[in-house]
Structure formats: structure tokens, C-alpha cells
């Protein structure tokens, strides 16, 4: 189509769509003579319709997609292809690249001059999209000033040099182009800055999250995510490509999740970064796990064990054989506890081997084997092979199935000390979990020597620590007695620059340690219930997670909210006796201090009774109403067979 006819054609198209009347169009056409304004601009200026109405009408009439540039994910690779001068001249914005096709947003899809110029300058086939004139100007300003935006962010923050210790792989020509764009100086500085800031904050993970109009960077510090940076949307593609190149991923593949690894040196510190990508609605999300081999070896004195628990822990890990299990949710410090235990008992006279998925930290003097399911290197197969390697101590990353658990238990029976992890809420629940996996109770009782459940609670920031009065409902949820509340001072962090305005700085462990005594082993072998085992363990002096959490609270280490969050359920804290205020475990049927009955029990079958029942619903025993037994006595009953009136 001739250039001279394009303005008339656009106007006629708007008339045909019913958006502009014929009279209005004729008036605007006559007014346009002698001006440099386009028909669309004049229509908007007159208030006849909006830019968005025009874009929608053109899209409908021509069958060309309409794009919202403020919501679209503009690829930096596309921006790099078209110069800023060309974009300004023809009022276009490149959106994305697909093979040899360049997708371009334009307000005037009839501009053959623009299409031909861009195709000639880039060598790509042009696929047009329709957008508004103002949105195109906004996008040009935003995306072509990306380098300036990034530079302004890093200008006052000089990051340390991050040295990549592994060679990067070369790829196809297209991958080479993306690599070139991701290695622009501002992008390299930005990636270095992101990693440097996370390491300085002692973050465990970095989250790069694509949002509708920006790239959000959040760091997980002390178990909680904190916003670190908000970057322009335009740098998203280049930053993700840079990280994918560093971790040897396929940067041209954006449709499936990928995993990679980067070995870097930051100053004098060597770090291992595990990188994971995931396609989302606004682009690829990247999560980087920061593994610091030096930071994993903290020593027994820094685990946070009290004197009695530490003594029991050292005694357990010094045993010549048996199984020690560490349990807790993801991120509760199980790996750190196991590594610390292995480092403590490491000796030139011992052969210590580990099976991990993956190997998180390198331990000197210890043989570490990584699981690789694709290569057939499973927990089961490696464990069988390790038993032929004359081991003294074995660490199995996780007991995932009955086969792995059974082999580990057989290894302990033949004179090996075995460490492993399992996912349960507390120590006694681990016994139930093993039974559910299919491990016989007799094998559990004869092999396991100790179970450790743990959580991490955030420590109150010492720089902004202040006294406060906690919410009464929360204190009641912790089952604190009125006397404890009165005698203790409660603390919290006000929030300051040292702690990132969170009120917390660092974390401490709280532990529940179950040492399997002969009495507990006998109970396990006879298939005793979880509730019975828990009562037996508490009676033998086990400090529960709830007890440990409350102890940390009363010592001023952490806050009420943090203890409630870490222990997860208020049932773990028990309750208070309504008569004397004594702390009651969830399994109690009577108060151990005043004898008040908490529930009625049928003396025939031992099951819980409802106060409204005339007969036991489980064994049909008739209950005599109106007779109250003294504390500690059973309710009077008349067996069904002896009641002639029944």
C-alpha cells in the first residue's frame, strides 16, 4: 500500500468500525491539512474516543493482536536488536524474538515504511502487534533506559568481584547472542551485587521473582524472606540469562524447569550456588540456594544444646553401633546437626561415609557419595555398596522408603553407627512413621538408640531489644502459668537497621531428644501407641519441643510469636488445669497435682465417655447417673447382663 494512502485508510477503518462518524472523520481530515499530526492523534485530541478504543478497533478489524505494553514481559533480547533511534523514528517497541521472527508493537500497523526499515536494519521477519501511541512512548523511555536504570541502582553499591570457578559452555548462534547481551557490564555488576548482598546478609536463598511490572529480588534470612531489590522489568531477561549461562543451563529453553550449579569465589570465600528456574506467568523465576561449606561446621557449642541435652547428644554419637535419627521440617537445621555430629566423631581410625541427595557441604576426611537417580545411583544401591566398603559410621541423607530403612537397620545390627533424617513432627511420631513405612516394631526397638527433633527460632536482635507485654491469648496458648507470666520479663525486637527492621538477628535451635531406654524399647516392641510412648518418654525426663521453646522464651532468647510459629500447633504445649493451674500434657486424663478428672473413662473398656450417655457406646455398659465419684475413682456402673430392667 502506498504511504500516501495510509492515513485515509486508518480513518476509513475507524468509520467502518462505527468508532468515528463520517461527519467527524471529514472534519478531522480537513483539519489535518497543514499539520504533522496523525489522524489517530487528532481523534483523541477531539475527545471522540480514547487511544485504547482505537487500538481495540484496529485489532478487531485487521485481525492483528493488541498488546498492553505496561503488562507485557518485554524481552531484553528484542530491545537489543532494534536501536533506540529507529524505535523513536517509527514509534515502535520490539517485544520478543521467536526464531527469525521479531514481534513488534506499533500504533500504526499500516506504516509500510516502518516495517520495511526495521526488517532491513535487523534482518528479521516482522510480526506486528497493535498498541497505543502513549504506551509506546512510555515503553521506549522505560526499556531503552534500562542500562541507565541498572547503573543508577549499582552506582552507590560497589559489589565484590564474583569469580566463576567453572568454565561456561558454548552453544548455538542464538545462545551466543543471548550470552553476549547478558554479559553487558551493567548486567554483570547487577548479578554480582545480588549475590554479594545475599552473602553479606547471610541469606540461605535468593529469590528472583518476575512480577507484572518489575523483577523482585528477595533473600531468605533467618528463615524468613526479605525484599532486597526491585529492578526494572526490562532487565529481567538479561539477568536470568546471565545466571543460566553461569550455571550451564540452556538459555534458549524457557518452557521447562531447569537446575544448575555455580561454583564461585567471593573474596576469599568459596561458595556453591544451586540454581533452579521455573516458568511462571510473568517469566522465569530463579531461586539460588547458597551453600557455604565453612558455615556448616559450627561446632557442638554453637548448636544451642543445653547442658543436659548436649551430654545426651555426645553420649549417643559416641556409641559404636545403632541408629540416630534427626527429624524436623525443611529448613530446621537437620543437615547442620548431622554434619556437626560427624565432624565431632571424625577420627583417622574411623571410616565415615555419607549418602546425600545432593552433597551440600564438603567434609574433610569423610567419604561423600551423591545420589543420581538417572545413573541408577539410588540411596538403596549406594547403601548396599557402602556396606562392602568396611564402614564404621554411615550417614544416609533421608529414610524415604522401607527398603532403605531396613538396610540401614540391618547395618546397625552388624556393628555400624548410622545417622539419618526423617520428616515427622516430633520424636515419638518417628516411631509411628517407621511403622507406616512397613518397618516391624521389633526391628525399630532393637536398632534405634536415639531420635532428635529440632526447630530453629529467630533470636531477638540485641541492638533493638525492648520489654513488652505479650497478648494474653498467646500466653495462654503456650500454657504458661500465671506465676510464670508474673515472674518473667518478655522481650522483643523493635526493628532497626542492624536486623533489617525485623526485630530478629540470627537463629537458635530448640531440641527434643528421645533416648531409647530399655523400658521404651520394650513398649515399642509390644506396639505401644504413640500417646503411651510419649507419656513414658516424658516420665523418664524427656524435654519436649514445647518445653524447650518456652524455656528459650523465658530466657529472653526469642519471642512468643516465634515459639508459636516454630512449634506449629498449640496442642504441643498442652493446657492448664482449670482448678490448680498446673500444666497438663495433651494425653492426661487427670491433673497430676490436684487429681481433678479431665475426662470420664469407662471402667469396663477404658474408652472416653460423653457426659450425656446413659450407656457406654463402645461396650454397652450401663452408667449410673447422679453418682459422682471422688477424684481418682471410676464412675459407678452396672453391667448390662446384671441389670434385669435393661
Amino acid at each position: 500500500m502506498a504511504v500516501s494512502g495510509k492515513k485515509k485508510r486508518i480513518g476509513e477503518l475507524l468509520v467502518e468500525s462505527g468508532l468515528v462518524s463520517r461527519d467527524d472523520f471529514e472534519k478531522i481530515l480537513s483539519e489535518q491539512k497543514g499539520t504533522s499530526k496523525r489522524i489517530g492523534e487528532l481523534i483523541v485530541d477531539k475527545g471522540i474516543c480514547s487511544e485504547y478504543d482505537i487500538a481495540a478497533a484496529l485489532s478487531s478489524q485487521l485481525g492483528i493482536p493488541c498488546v498492553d505494553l505496561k503488562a507485557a514481559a518485554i524481552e531484553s533480547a528484542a530491545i537489543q536488536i532494534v536501536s533506540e533511534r529507529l524505535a523513536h523514528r517509527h514509534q515502535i517497541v520490539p517485544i520478543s524474538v521467536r526464531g527469525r521472527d521479531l514481534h513488534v508493537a506499533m500504533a500504526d500497523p499500516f506504516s509500510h515504511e516502518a516495517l520495511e526499515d526495521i526488517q532491513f536494519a535487523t534482518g528479521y521477519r516482522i510480526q506486528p502487534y497493535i498498541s497505543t501511541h502513549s504506551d509506546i512512548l512510555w515503553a521506549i523511555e522505560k526499556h531503552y533506559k534500562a542500562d541507565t536504570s541498572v547503573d543508577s541502582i549499582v552506582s552507590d553499591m560497589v559489589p565484590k568481584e564474583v569469580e566463576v570457578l567453572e568454565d561456561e559452555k558454548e552453544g548455538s548462534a542464538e545462545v551466543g547472542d543471548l550470552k553476549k547481551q547478558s554479559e553487558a557490564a551493567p548486567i554483570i555488576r547487577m548479578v554480582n551485587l545480588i549475590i554479594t548482598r545475599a552473602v553479606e546478609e547471610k541469606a540461605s536463598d535468593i529469590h528472583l521473582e518476575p512480577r507484572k511490572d518489575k523483577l523482585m529480588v528477595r533473600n531468605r534470612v533467618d528463615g524468613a524472606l526479605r525484599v532486597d531489590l526491585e529492578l526494572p522489568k526490562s532487565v529481567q531477561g538479561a539477568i536470568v540469562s546471565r545466571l543460566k549461562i553461569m550455571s550451564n543451563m540452556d538459555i534458549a529453553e524457557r518452557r521447562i524447569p531447569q537446575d544448575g550449579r555455580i561454583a564461585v569465589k567471593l573474596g576469599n570465600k568459596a561458595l556453591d550456588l544451586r540454581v533452579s528456574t521455573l516458568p511462571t506467568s510473568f517469566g522465569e523465576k530463579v531461586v539460588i540456594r547458597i551453600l557455604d561449606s565453612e558455615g556448616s561446621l559450627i561446632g557442638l557449642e554453637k548448636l544451642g544444646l543445653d547442658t543436659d541435652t548436649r551430654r545426651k547428644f555426645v553420649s549417643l554419637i559416641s556409641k559404636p553401633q545403632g541408629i540416630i535419627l534427626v527429624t524436623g521440617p525443611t529448613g530446621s537445621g537437620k543437615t547442620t546437626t548431622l554434619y556437626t555430629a560427624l565432624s565431632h566423631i571424625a577420627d583417622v581410625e574411623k571410616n565415615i561415609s555419607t549418602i546425600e541427595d545432593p552433597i551440600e557441604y564438603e567434609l574433610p576426611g569423610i567419604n561423600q557419595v551423591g545420589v543420581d537417580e538417572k545413573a541408577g545411583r539410588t540411596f538403596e544401591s549406594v547403601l548396599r555398596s557402602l556396606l562392602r566398603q568396611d564402614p564404621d559410621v554411615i550417614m544416609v541423607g533421608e529414610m524415604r522408603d522401607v527398603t532403605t530403612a531396613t538396610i540401614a537397620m540391618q547395618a546397625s545390627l552388624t556393628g555400624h553407627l548410622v545417622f539419618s533424617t526423617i520428616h515427622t513432627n516430633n520424636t515419638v511420631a518417628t516411631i509411628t512413621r517407621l511403622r507406616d513405612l512397613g518397618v516391624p516394631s521389633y526391628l525399630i526397638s532393637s536398632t534405634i538408640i536415639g531420635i532428635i527433633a529440632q526447630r530453629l527460632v529467630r533470636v531477638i536482635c540485641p541492638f533493638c531489644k525492648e520489654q513488652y507485654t505479650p497478648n494474653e491469648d498467646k500466653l495462654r496458648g503456650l500454657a504458661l502459668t500465671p506465676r510464670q507470666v508474673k515472674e518473667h520479663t518478655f522481650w522483643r525486637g523493635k526493628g532497626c537497621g542492624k536486623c533489617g527492621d525485623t526485630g530478629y538477628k540470627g537463629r537458635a535451635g530448640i531440641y527434643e531428644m528421645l533416648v531409647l531406654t530399655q523400658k521404651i524399647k520394650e513398649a515399642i516392641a509390644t506396639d505401644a501407641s504413640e500417646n503411651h510412648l510419649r507419656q513414658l518418654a516424658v516420665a523418664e525426663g524427656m524435654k519436649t519441643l514445647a518445653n524447650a521453646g518456652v524455656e528459650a522464651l523465658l530466657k529472653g532468647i526469642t519471642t512468643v510469636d516465634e515459639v508459636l510459629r516454630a512449634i506449629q500447633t498449640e496442642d504441643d504445649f498442652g493446657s492448664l488445669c482449670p482448678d490448680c493451674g498446673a500444666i497438663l500434657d495433651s494425653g492426661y486424663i487427670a491433673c497430676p497435682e490436684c487429681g481433678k478428672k479431665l475426662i470420664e473413662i469407662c471402667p469396663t473398656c477404658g474408652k472416653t465417655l460423653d457426659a450425656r450417655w446413659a450407656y457406654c457406646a463402645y461396650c454397652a455398659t450401663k452408667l449410673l447417673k447422679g453418682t459422682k465419684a471422688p477424684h481418682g475413682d471410676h464412675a459407678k456402673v452396672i453391667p448390662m447382663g446384671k441389670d434385669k430392667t435393661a
Side-chain angles (χ1 to χ4, degrees):
M1 182 179 300
V3 176
S4 60
K6 69 170 183 170
K7 294 177 183 176
K8 181 179 178 182
R9 181 64 182 274
I10 290 177
E12 289 177 350
L13 200 63
L14 296 177
V15 171
E16 291 173 8
S17 69
L19 194 64
V20 179
S21 69
R22 173 63 64 178
D23 289 342
D24 285 338
F25 172 63
E26 294 295 342
K27 289 178 183 178
I28 291 171
L29 197 60
S30 61
E31 289 179 14
Q32 187 196 19
K33 295 176 181 179
T35 71
S36 59
K37 286 193 174 183
R38 303 182 182 188
I39 289 287
E41 293 178 66
L42 291 170
I43 291 173
V44 172
D45 290 344
K46 292 290 184 181
I48 298 173
C49 59
S50 69
E51 285 186 292
Y52 298 99
D53 293 333
I54 294 175
L58 291 176
S59 175
S60 175
Q61 291 289 320
L62 299 174
I64 299 175
C66 194
V67 62
D68 181 357
L69 292 176
K70 292 186 177 178
I74 307 297
E75 295 179 3
S76 60
I79 295 291
Q80 296 286 338
I81 292 172
V82 179
S83 69
E84 183 178 358
R85 181 188 59 79
L86 200 60
H88 269 298
R89 178 182 174 187
H90 294 297
Q91 300 293 286
I92 61 96
V93 173
I95 303 171
S96 61
V97 184
R98 295 293 179 269
R100 299 309 304 169
D101 289 340
L102 178 64
H103 296 199
V104 174
M106 51 200 314
D108 185 358
F110 293 109
S111 177
H112 282 200
E113 180 186 357
L115 294 172
E116 290 172 357
D117 269 9
I118 300 165
Q119 186 165 332
F120 178 78
T122 64
Y124 284 83
R125 292 189 300 266
I126 307 304
Q127 298 295 333
Y129 284 72
I130 295 175
S131 187
T132 66
H133 180 68
S134 59
D135 278 3
I136 286 173
L137 291 178
W138 173 87
I140 291 173
E141 181 67 21
K142 179 177 176 64
H143 295 288
Y144 279 97
K145 302 301 180 184
D147 284 359
T148 304
S149 300
V150 175
D151 278 332
S152 66
I153 293 173
V154 300
S155 60
D156 298 325
M157 308 174 184
V158 181
K160 295 179 182 177
E161 187 63 30
V162 178
E163 179 186 352
V164 181
L165 300 180
E166 295 178 354
D167 292 334
E168 299 169 358
K169 295 178 180 178
E170 296 295 335
S172 64
E174 183 181 357
V175 171
D177 289 342
L178 286 173
K179 179 178 177 181
K180 199 170 187 179
Q181 293 151 18
S182 69
E183 290 179 344
I187 297 302
I188 292 176
R189 290 204 304 274
M190 178 54 66
V191 171
N192 289 356
L193 175 68
I194 290 170
I195 296 172
T196 300
R197 286 168 65 92
V199 172
E200 288 176 348
E201 288 184 355
K202 298 183 179 178
S204 60
D205 300 87
I206 306 170
H207 290 241
L208 288 89
E209 302 171 332
R211 302 292 171 85
K212 188 174 182 179
D213 56 352
K214 61 189 172 186
L215 178 65
M216 180 80 76
V217 180
R218 296 196 294 170
N219 296 334
R220 188 174 295 280
V221 182
D222 295 336
L225 285 171
R226 301 179 186 175
V227 175
D228 184 47
L229 293 170
E230 291 185 7
L231 303 177
K233 185 74 176 177
S234 56
V235 303
Q236 176 180 310
I239 287 178
V240 172
S241 294
R242 172 65 182 165
L243 288 168
K244 290 170 79 172
I245 289 170
M246 291 169 69
S247 52
N248 289 331
M249 294 184 194
D250 182 358
I251 64 173
E253 180 57 75
R254 306 179 186 91
R255 298 167 295 176
I256 60 174
Q258 296 187 67
D259 295 297
R261 175 178 175 178
I262 311 171
V264 301
K265 189 173 182 181
L266 188 59
N268 295 323
K269 181 177 288 189
L271 300 171
D272 190 13
L273 308 181
R274 303 295 169 90
V275 185
S276 171
T277 67
L278 180 70
T280 69
S281 57
F282 295 118
E284 287 182 284
K285 178 184 176 183
V286 182
V287 175
I288 305 170
R289 168 64 59 88
I290 303 172
L291 302 177
D292 180 2
S293 58
E294 297 175 3
S296 65
L297 305 177
I298 62 175
L300 282 178
E301 66 283 354
K302 293 184 179 179
L303 279 181
L305 301 166
D306 59 54
T307 304
D308 184 54
T309 306
R310 180 179 176 181
R311 178 184 55 79
K312 291 178 181 178
F313 182 71
V314 172
S315 176
L316 279 177
I317 65 178
S318 301
K319 301 283 186 185
Q321 68 183 73
I323 294 179
I324 299 171
L325 295 176
V326 181
T327 184
T330 302
S332 59
K334 299 187 297 295
T335 302
T336 299
T337 298
L338 286 177
Y339 280 5
T340 302
L342 292 177
S343 299
H344 184 78
I345 63 174
D347 189 279
V348 69
E349 297 179 352
K350 290 181 180 177
N351 176 15
I352 302 176
S353 300
T354 71
I355 311 169
E356 304 171 63
D357 183 20
I359 298 172
E360 293 193 21
Y361 307 106
E362 294 180 4
L363 298 173
I366 293 175
N367 308 296
Q368 296 175 267
V369 182
V371 169
D372 187 345
E373 299 282 350
K374 293 180 181 178
R377 214 160 60 226
T378 63
F379 275 111
E380 177 188 346
S381 63
V382 175
L383 183 53
R384 291 184 188 278
S385 298
L386 274 186
L387 292 176
R388 296 190 289 271
Q389 292 282 316
D390 186 31
D392 296 298
V393 180
I394 300 172
M395 186 191 93
V396 182
E398 183 181 349
M399 284 196 177
R400 298 181 176 180
D401 51 59
V402 64
T403 306
T404 304
T406 303
I407 297 172
M409 289 179 174
Q410 290 171 348
S412 74
L413 288 173
T414 54
H416 304 92
L417 181 63
V418 180
F419 292 88
S420 189
T421 69
I422 194 167
H423 288 282
T424 57
N425 287 333
N426 54 59
T427 54
V428 179
T430 303
I431 306 298
T432 304
R433 171 64 176 151
L434 290 171
R435 287 170 175 168
D436 291 342
L437 283 176
V439 181
S441 293
Y442 75 87
L443 193 56
I444 297 173
S445 64
S446 59
T447 56
I448 295 179
I449 60 175
I451 305 172
I452 303 162
Q454 67 180 75
R455 301 288 190 276
L456 292 176
V457 293
R458 289 182 291 175
V459 176
I460 300 170
C461 175
F463 301 100
C464 58
K465 194 172 184 178
E466 65 175 7
Q467 296 183 25
Y468 82 115
T469 303
N471 182 283
E472 290 186 7
D473 290 337
K474 291 181 178 179
L475 290 175
R476 197 176 298 114
L478 291 174
L480 291 175
T481 64
R483 181 178 177 181
Q484 286 177 311
V485 174
K486 186 178 180 180
E487 291 180 352
H488 288 86
T489 301
F490 297 93
W491 301 86
R492 69 179 175 187
K494 187 178 180 181
C496 64
K498 298 279 187 180
C499 61
D501 291 320
T502 62
Y504 299 99
K505 192 169 181 64
R507 289 189 289 179
I510 56 175
Y511 301 87
E512 176 181 293
M513 187 171 296
L514 173 63
V515 178
L516 272 69
T517 62
Q518 190 59 38
K519 193 172 183 179
I520 294 176
K521 287 184 176 183
E522 290 172 359
I524 293 172
T526 57
D527 290 325
S529 68
E530 184 176 321
N531 191 45
H532 177 69
L533 290 172
R534 189 167 183 81
Q535 289 178 347
L536 192 59
V538 171
E540 293 200 352
M542 183 185 78
K543 182 189 294 181
T544 66
L545 276 171
N547 296 149
V550 170
E551 190 174 283
L553 169 67
L554 299 181
K555 287 181 178 178
I557 296 173
T558 190
T559 64
V560 173
D561 290 336
E562 191 64 9
V563 174
L564 286 171
R565 180 199 62 80
I567 307 302
Q568 296 176 340
T569 62
E570 294 185 3
D571 292 340
D572 293 325
F573 297 97
S575 58
L576 298 179
C577 174
D579 279 10
C580 68
I583 298 177
L584 307 173
D585 189 89
S586 57
Y588 290 178
I589 63 173
C591 175
E593 294 192 16
C594 69
K596 178 177 177 59
K597 285 198 297 183
L598 306 173
I599 56 175
E600 292 288 347
I601 301 294
C602 175
T604 303
C605 65
K607 294 192 176 179
T608 305
L609 298 174
D610 190 304
R612 299 167 294 179
W613 292 351
Y615 293 87
C616 175
Y618 305 103
C619 66
T621 297
K622 185 175 181 180
L623 308 175
L624 186 62
K625 296 292 183 179
T627 304
K628 291 187 177 180
H631 290 320
D633 293 341
H634 292 299
K636 292 184 180 180
V637 297
I638 301 176
M640 283 286 291
K642 295 182 181 181
D643 182 11
K644 296 179 180 179
T645 63

